[in-house]
Amino acid sequence: MCSFCARPEAEVTKLVAGPGVNICTECVDLAASIVAEYRPGPTELRMPMWGGLTDAEMLERLPRVAAVADRIEADLRMWVTELRRRGVTWARIGRALGITRQSAWERFSGEE
């Protein structure tokens, strides 16, 4: 599924995969148009994307956002698992994530 719009692979033209992230061609096109729009001058602040959405529209999109968050968490766990397999300490992993060694261990070790 696209990490940006959360549409499943079956609903997009093409899905490009990167480390921990996928993007569909539709989101690539949107990003390119945004970059092109703001490239010549300074960037102006925009309202959050939900600024123009109704409560019903936000509730409709909420499961997609949650699915993306779940995918990101799963990818993060795989990265940490691989780092631990390579012998990287909990302290280094914690520092990389901006948390303590103990917090990293509690979140990713699977031990209680």
Side-chain angles (χ1 to χ4, degrees), residues 1-4 19-22 65-79 107-108:
M1 103 177 2
C2 179
S3 302
F4 296 86
V21 143
N22 301 309
V65 174
V68 170
D70 289 345
R71 183 69 238 159
I72 290 169
E73 180 67 20
D75 287 350
L76 182 58
R77 287 183 178 283
M78 287 189 304
W79 280 67
R107 181 172 176 186
F108 298 108

Side-chain angles (χ1 to χ4, degrees), residues 3 28 33 37-38 42-43 46 51 55-56 60 75 77 93 108 110:
S3 302
V28 168
S33 70
E37 179 183 349
Y38 289 101
T43 304
R46 292 180 148 203
D55 292 351
E60 181 183 318
D75 287 350
R77 287 183 178 283
I93 292 168
F108 298 108

Side-chain angles (χ1 to χ4, degrees), residues 37-65:
E37 179 183 349
Y38 289 101
R39 181 169 277 149
T43 304
E44 66 184 58
L45 295 176
R46 292 180 148 203
M47 287 181 54
M49 68 179 280
W50 55 80
L53 298 177
T54 66
D55 292 351
E57 290 168 328
M58 286 182 70
L59 288 167
E60 181 183 318
R61 293 179 186 192
L62 197 58
R64 291 184 193 167
V65 174

